[in-house]
Amino acid sequence: MAAAGWSTLSDPLSAEIVLRSPDFRHSLQFDPQSVASAWWQLRAEPADDGPGWYAEFGELVPAEVVTGFTDALAASPPPPQDPWLPLTSAGWHRDSERTARSPDSMCHIELRQLSGSPDRLSWPVDTREPGHGEFAGRASGTPTSTNSPPLT
């Protein structure tokens, strides 16, 4: 991330790492001592081109996944009109209007409307090992959300 221009804001002797993107819109925090299940927290401040948002990654998420996510922010292509298009183009199966699963059935994503706020959506992603039953359902913790149009 340093090669992409992200700067360190945290104390180098601390277990917690805080980085800021070159445009100052995004921040990434790594806290392995967090009492929550999310060791990685990525936040985007609201801007003229979009609302603020955040994403959380648990302790078992490889750093390469987080790096891929932040690299995609640097490229920042315009969002597709259909948010499901990247998944279906990659061979994911739409199980319903609001859910999809990966081709190997190890990953499941669901579009949820947050209670009390019709314009805030959540995209929880659950993973599991092959052959270990069904997905557990709603994940614990705070969902990732954006200010998106209400579900119809």
Side-chain angles (χ1 to χ4, degrees), residues 39-147:
W39 282 17
W40 299 89
Q41 295 180 353
L42 180 63
R43 299 184 188 285
E45 298 297 324
D48 293 338
D49 62 345
W53 54 267
Y54 70 93
E56 296 178 339
F57 303 89
E59 64 182 281
L60 300 178
V61 173
E64 294 83 0
V65 171
V66 179
T67 301
F69 197 99
T70 57
D71 286 349
L73 291 174
S76 59
Q81 294 297 322
D82 175 9
W84 296 102
L85 185 60
L87 294 176
T88 55
S89 296
W92 284 53
H93 308 283
R94 294 287 304 274
D95 295 326
S96 72
E97 186 177 301
R98 297 183 183 183
T99 63
R101 63 184 158 83
S102 61
D104 61 7
S105 295
M106 292 176 57
C107 190
H108 176 265
I109 187 168
E110 181 178 356
L111 173 60
R112 295 185 188 142
Q113 190 170 7
L114 294 176
S115 61
S117 183
D119 61 341
R120 293 191 50 187
L121 303 175
S122 167
W123 294 83
V125 178
D126 295 314
T127 60
R128 66 176 173 90
E129 291 291 324
H132 283 83
E134 297 297 317
F135 289 101
R138 177 160 260 169
S140 61
T142 307
T144 304
S145 63
T146 61
N147 292 327

Side-chain angles (χ1 to χ4, degrees), residues 14-17 29-40 58-59:
S14 172
E16 178 184 9
I17 300 169
Q29 176 182 4
F30 172 73
D31 185 2
Q33 300 171 344
S34 172
V35 296
S37 62
W39 282 17
W40 299 89
E59 64 182 281

Side-chain angles (χ1 to χ4, degrees), residues 4-7 20-26:
W6 288 63
S7 57
R20 169 93 49 201
S21 65
D23 65 1
F24 298 103
R25 181 167 184 216
H26 303 96

